[in-house]
Amino acid sequence: MNLIELCSNVKKAKYDVARLTESEKNNAIKQVCDSILAGADYILQENAKDLENGEKNGMHVGLLDRLRLTTDRIEGIVEGLRQIISLPDPIGEVMETIQRPNGLFIEKCRVPMGVIGIIYEARPNVTVDAFGLCFKSGNAVILKGGSAAFHSNIAIVDCIKNGLKTCGINENVIGLISDTDRETTQAFMKMNDYVDVLIPRGGAGLIRSVVENSTIPVIETGTGNCHIYVDKDADPDMAVNIIFNAKTQRIGVCNACESLVIHNEIKEQILPKLAASLKEKEVEIRGDQSVCEIIDCKEATENDYATEYLDYIISVKTVSSVNEAIAHINCYNTGHSDAIITNCAETAEKFLNEVDSACVYVNASTRFTDGFEFGFGAEIGISTQMLHARGPMGLKELTSYKFKVRGCGQIRG
């Protein structure tokens, strides 16, 4: 099937999914959950092919982690779908009503966007998350996964389509572009006659390419150079525990901590403990001169402060005030997630108000920036732009609205 035919089929199917009731959508998602679990062995078998190819091609360890599926991860993906079932259907919600003096009654109502296109890299879980959120919000979806997850994505979409078939639902509500060449990706970015919005999920290069080349409106999801600032009034043990989690729990994800900022008044107290903790995972610390005088580490460069490593590496910068910390973070962050560790409520509030990121934390790991953790069931991505949506994008972020206007014969004079 060529690209135009696939996009045309999905565009036609968007009207089918838009007409489904909440109970019909929920039942279909339940069937898809069952189909994915029933096909877990098939999915893992195909994922093993992708992992083998990735290792042969020298894929970075962080990207291999994103690509890897396990029984537990598949069960987690399905649990995300089940959470979507429990969420209220946003379609048809009356957002606002207006009664005009001339008798016109106006309702502002949520409606699906239509066809959502998603271009992503080696993350097969995105295939499931994207389907569930788009489908529950009344949208059809076209997926363009990376070549690294080629076999995994085909297997997952096969299982999704099998689940839809059991409910008699048009399987074209989800389309997968199986061609992995660059030309097909470029052509997909120009399919504005068929696709209503395009969402890139992946590294900085992919996102930049989509933003620069797409003729379809884009919701930009950002890379994650996430910071943790350890304030002078921080609990050192809490700080070490949070940093260890944020840096090492999963290194290949956009909400992992990549950069630390530490107040000078607490650096001698915390840095030795932190270095010992991170050594357990063989994390390489790259610090400024002040850090290097306290612990044995590599000296950081300006480039280090701006880098999303997706690796067992972390940069450390020391500062003399919360104002300096905020200025440093706003200079180098990517607008994703940043945290402060402090017991001072006033400092915490200042940080929350002045750090320019989609998600800002006090005394918690940046790893919580996730649709599942926010109670959205799953996410279509983490938006780092200001327009339309920001932060984890769930069901409501995948809707638009229309105005329904009721009259009784009014004409405009």
Side-chain angles (χ1 to χ4, degrees):
M1 184 185 302
N2 64 39
L3 181 62
I4 292 178
E5 185 180 359
L6 185 150
C7 291
S8 178
N9 287 341
V10 175
K11 181 177 180 178
K12 293 173 185 175
K14 78 176 185 179
Y15 299 108
D16 294 330
V17 66
R19 285 192 292 266
L20 295 174
T21 65
E22 181 174 9
S23 61
E24 288 172 331
K25 288 187 283 190
N26 286 342
N27 180 58
I29 295 173
K30 287 178 184 177
Q31 296 301 320
V32 168
C33 288
D34 292 343
S35 181
I36 290 172
L37 291 175
D41 288 343
Y42 166 48
I43 293 170
L44 292 174
Q45 172 187 306
E46 297 304 295
N47 182 246
K49 296 177 183 178
D50 291 329
L51 288 170
E52 183 180 356
N53 289 335
E55 289 169 355
K56 285 180 180 177
N57 295 328
M59 182 181 283
H60 188 277
V61 61
L63 294 179
L64 279 171
D65 179 61
R66 286 185 170 186
L67 175 60
R68 180 173 287 106
L69 291 175
T70 63
T71 299
D72 286 345
R73 287 188 181 182
I74 289 176
E75 289 175 354
I77 289 168
V78 169
E79 177 57 30
L81 276 182
R82 289 185 175 137
Q83 280 200 12
I84 292 173
I85 293 171
S86 68
L87 297 173
D89 187 347
I91 301 305
E93 174 191 345
V94 178
M95 304 165 65
E96 185 180 355
T97 60
I98 305 167
Q99 181 71 61
R100 299 297 298 146
N102 62 3
L104 289 178
F105 182 69
I106 304 169
E107 291 179 317
K108 182 180 179 181
C109 303
R110 286 196 188 278
V111 297
M113 284 186 167
V115 177
I116 296 175
I118 303 175
I119 300 178
Y120 55 111
E121 294 175 334
R123 301 189 66 173
N125 64 296
V126 174
T127 306
V128 181
D129 294 346
F131 161 75
L133 287 167
C134 290
F135 185 80
K136 181 67 181 267
S137 55
N139 298 289
V141 63
I142 300 174
L143 304 172
K144 175 64 181 72
S147 58
F150 175 78
H151 297 94
S152 305
N153 289 334
I154 290 176
I156 291 170
V157 171
D158 283 346
C159 292
I160 291 172
K161 286 180 176 286
N162 286 336
L164 293 173
K165 287 176 187 175
T166 64
C167 304
I169 290 174
N170 187 344
E171 66 181 63
N172 288 324
V173 298
I174 179 172
L176 175 68
I177 300 171
S178 56
D179 290 337
T180 58
D181 57 273
R182 181 182 179 87
E183 291 74 20
T184 299
T185 303
Q186 292 291 323
F188 181 43
M189 295 182 201
K190 312 295 184 185
M191 290 288 157
N192 46 289
D193 287 339
Y194 304 93
V195 182
D196 296 289
V197 66
L198 191 58
I199 303 173
R201 286 194 63 172
L206 169 67
I207 294 167
R208 184 171 57 252
S209 176
V210 173
V211 170
E212 291 176 355
N213 294 293
S214 177
T215 59
I216 304 166
V218 175
I219 297 178
E220 184 175 351
T221 60
T223 54
N225 183 20
C226 301
H227 292 70
I228 293 178
Y229 167 53
V230 184
D231 183 49
K232 64 182 179 67
D233 296 312
D235 178 323
D237 292 332
M238 176 193 289
V240 170
N241 188 45
I242 288 174
I243 293 165
F244 183 82
N245 173 265
K247 178 67 239 182
T248 70
Q249 197 232 1
R250 282 190 71 183
I251 62 166
V253 290
C254 60
N255 55 19
C257 176
E258 305 286 17
S259 303
L260 295 181
V261 184
I262 298 178
H263 197 288
N264 280 321
E265 291 186 23
I266 202 171
K267 65 183 180 183
E268 293 186 1
Q269 187 177 358
I270 192 172
L271 280 171
K273 292 182 179 180
L274 179 63
S277 176
L278 293 178
K279 189 175 181 180
E280 294 178 24
K281 293 287 187 176
E282 298 183 355
V283 176
E284 177 184 318
I285 298 174
R286 299 180 183 178
D288 63 16
Q289 185 176 355
S290 179
V291 174
C292 293
E293 290 172 356
I294 298 171
I295 60 173
D296 182 20
C297 69
K298 184 176 179 179
E299 188 168 352
T301 65
E302 286 299 307
N303 187 58
D304 281 312
Y305 299 136
T307 298
E308 181 189 30
Y309 296 109
L310 301 175
D311 201 348
Y312 289 102
I313 305 171
I314 195 166
S315 70
V316 186
K317 171 74 174 176
T318 54
V319 296
S320 58
S321 68
V322 65
N323 288 329
E324 189 180 348
I326 292 170
H328 177 84
I329 292 170
N330 283 342
C331 177
Y332 291 102
N333 74 357
T334 52
H336 194 293
S337 302
D338 297 296
I340 182 174
I341 315 300
T342 187
N343 287 324
C344 176
E346 182 180 352
T347 303
E349 198 64 25
K350 180 180 181 65
F351 189 90
L352 290 173
N353 290 337
E354 296 183 20
V355 168
D356 186 15
S357 290
C359 300
V360 191
Y361 294 84
V362 175
N363 296 333
S365 171
T366 57
R367 286 283 288 116
F368 285 104
T369 301
D370 175 86
F372 185 89
E373 295 293 341
F374 277 30
F376 299 164
E379 71 192 29
I380 208 74
I382 309 293
S383 171
T384 55
Q385 66 182 30
M386 292 290 192
L387 295 178
H388 175 65
R390 199 178 192 201
M393 293 185 290
L395 295 176
K396 289 187 176 181
E397 286 72 34
L398 297 179
T399 64
S400 184
Y401 53 84
K402 68 165 62 170
F403 291 96
K404 297 179 179 179
V405 185
R406 293 178 172 87
C408 52
Q410 290 91 334
I411 60 173
R412 183 169 178 175

